[in-house]
Amino acid sequence: MEGFVALACGLIIGLGALGACIGIGLMGGKVVEASARQPELMDKLQTKMFLLAGLIDAAFIIGTAVALWFATSNPFKG
């Protein structure tokens, strides 16, 4: 059973990192496109981008914390 917990923790952290990286990459690309179209909105877009990047990273960090919690307090240890 300990192997399944380690596998689950790896999947939680790995898929969370993959999702966060893809999300931030897509968002960054769209912000660059939008600021190229309307340079006068660049300050507002940059502020919103950093706010959203923090929220995306927060979801990944929470997932990592849950995975580490499962890894250290495994109820299946005998």
mmCIF file of all heavy atoms in Angstrom, residues 34-35 37-45:
data_model
loop_
_atom_site.group_PDB
_atom_site.id
_atom_site.type_symbol
_atom_site.label_atom_id
_atom_site.label_comp_id
_atom_site.label_asym_id
_atom_site.label_seq_id
_atom_site.Cartn_x
_atom_site.Cartn_y
_atom_site.Cartn_z
ATOM 1 N N ALA A 34 -2.274 40.425 -26.506
ATOM 2 C CA ALA A 34 -3.163 41.542 -26.195
ATOM 3 C C ALA A 34 -2.402 42.853 -26.047
ATOM 4 O O ALA A 34 -2.878 43.913 -26.491
ATOM 5 C CB ALA A 34 -3.947 41.241 -24.921
ATOM 6 N N SER A 35 -1.228 42.804 -25.456
ATOM 7 C CA SER A 35 -0.458 44.044 -25.289
ATOM 8 C C SER A 35 0.133 44.506 -26.617
ATOM 9 O O SER A 35 0.380 45.698 -26.798
ATOM 10 C CB SER A 35 0.644 43.856 -24.248
ATOM 11 O OG SER A 35 1.570 42.884 -24.674
ATOM 12 N N ARG A 37 -1.553 44.236 -29.424
ATOM 13 C CA ARG A 37 -2.694 44.846 -30.114
ATOM 14 C C ARG A 37 -3.067 46.199 -29.523
ATOM 15 O O ARG A 37 -3.421 47.116 -30.251
ATOM 16 C CB ARG A 37 -3.909 43.922 -30.053
ATOM 17 C CG ARG A 37 -3.760 42.723 -30.924
ATOM 18 C CD ARG A 37 -5.014 41.902 -30.942
ATOM 19 N NE ARG A 37 -4.785 40.713 -31.755
ATOM 20 C CZ ARG A 37 -5.384 39.566 -31.579
ATOM 21 N NH1 ARG A 37 -6.278 39.445 -30.614
ATOM 22 N NH2 ARG A 37 -5.123 38.552 -32.360
ATOM 23 N N GLN A 38 -3.043 46.286 -28.197
ATOM 24 C CA GLN A 38 -3.409 47.537 -27.521
ATOM 25 C C GLN A 38 -2.368 47.864 -26.457
ATOM 26 O O GLN A 38 -2.523 47.520 -25.294
ATOM 27 C CB GLN A 38 -4.792 47.405 -26.882
ATOM 28 C CG GLN A 38 -5.898 47.253 -27.892
ATOM 29 C CD GLN A 38 -7.250 47.187 -27.236
ATOM 30 O OE1 GLN A 38 -7.368 46.857 -26.058
ATOM 31 N NE2 GLN A 38 -8.275 47.506 -27.999
ATOM 32 N N PRO A 39 -1.303 48.537 -26.861
ATOM 33 C CA PRO A 39 -0.217 48.826 -25.904
ATOM 34 C C PRO A 39 -0.637 49.721 -24.740
ATOM 35 O O PRO A 39 -0.009 49.693 -23.686
ATOM 36 C CB PRO A 39 0.840 49.532 -26.758
ATOM 37 C CG PRO A 39 0.457 49.310 -28.169
ATOM 38 C CD PRO A 39 -0.988 48.980 -28.201
ATOM 39 N N GLU A 40 -1.701 50.490 -24.912
ATOM 40 C CA GLU A 40 -2.114 51.389 -23.825
ATOM 41 C C GLU A 40 -2.716 50.616 -22.643
ATOM 42 O O GLU A 40 -2.806 51.149 -21.537
ATOM 43 C CB GLU A 40 -3.115 52.439 -24.334
ATOM 44 C CG GLU A 40 -4.446 51.890 -24.797
ATOM 45 C CD GLU A 40 -4.468 51.449 -26.252
ATOM 46 O OE1 GLU A 40 -3.413 51.506 -26.921
ATOM 47 O OE2 GLU A 40 -5.533 51.037 -26.713
ATOM 48 N N LEU A 41 -3.111 49.380 -22.847
ATOM 49 C CA LEU A 41 -3.666 48.560 -21.762
ATOM 50 C C LEU A 41 -2.630 47.652 -21.108
ATOM 51 O O LEU A 41 -2.986 46.803 -20.302
ATOM 52 C CB LEU A 41 -4.818 47.697 -22.299
ATOM 53 C CG LEU A 41 -6.060 48.427 -22.778
ATOM 54 C CD1 LEU A 41 -7.069 47.446 -23.330
ATOM 55 C CD2 LEU A 41 -6.661 49.234 -21.648
ATOM 56 N N MET A 42 -1.386 47.828 -21.437
ATOM 57 C CA MET A 42 -0.348 46.914 -20.967
ATOM 58 C C MET A 42 -0.229 46.884 -19.445
ATOM 59 O O MET A 42 -0.059 45.809 -18.854
ATOM 60 C CB MET A 42 0.995 47.291 -21.585
ATOM 61 C CG MET A 42 2.064 46.270 -21.368
ATOM 62 S SD MET A 42 3.487 46.654 -22.379
ATOM 63 C CE MET A 42 4.734 45.782 -21.526
ATOM 64 N N ASP A 43 -0.341 48.024 -18.783
ATOM 65 C CA ASP A 43 -0.220 48.054 -17.321
ATOM 66 C C ASP A 43 -1.349 47.262 -16.653
ATOM 67 O O ASP A 43 -1.112 46.496 -15.718
ATOM 68 C CB ASP A 43 -0.218 49.491 -16.810
ATOM 69 C CG ASP A 43 1.039 50.245 -17.208
ATOM 70 O OD1 ASP A 43 2.065 49.578 -17.446
ATOM 71 O OD2 ASP A 43 0.982 51.487 -17.288
ATOM 72 N N LYS A 44 -2.578 47.442 -17.118
ATOM 73 C CA LYS A 44 -3.713 46.714 -16.544
ATOM 74 C C LYS A 44 -3.588 45.214 -16.808
ATOM 75 O O LYS A 44 -3.871 44.390 -15.938
ATOM 76 C CB LYS A 44 -5.024 47.236 -17.121
ATOM 77 C CG LYS A 44 -5.383 48.624 -16.666
ATOM 78 C CD LYS A 44 -6.708 49.065 -17.243
ATOM 79 C CE LYS A 44 -7.027 50.478 -16.814
ATOM 80 N NZ LYS A 44 -8.291 50.940 -17.365
ATOM 81 N N LEU A 45 -3.171 44.874 -18.018
ATOM 82 C CA LEU A 45 -3.022 43.461 -18.358
ATOM 83 C C LEU A 45 -1.917 42.799 -17.534
ATOM 84 O O LEU A 45 -2.059 41.658 -17.089
ATOM 85 C CB LEU A 45 -2.715 43.302 -19.848
ATOM 86 C CG LEU A 45 -3.851 43.624 -20.810
ATOM 87 C CD1 LEU A 45 -3.335 43.632 -22.240
ATOM 88 C CD2 LEU A 45 -4.970 42.633 -20.649
#
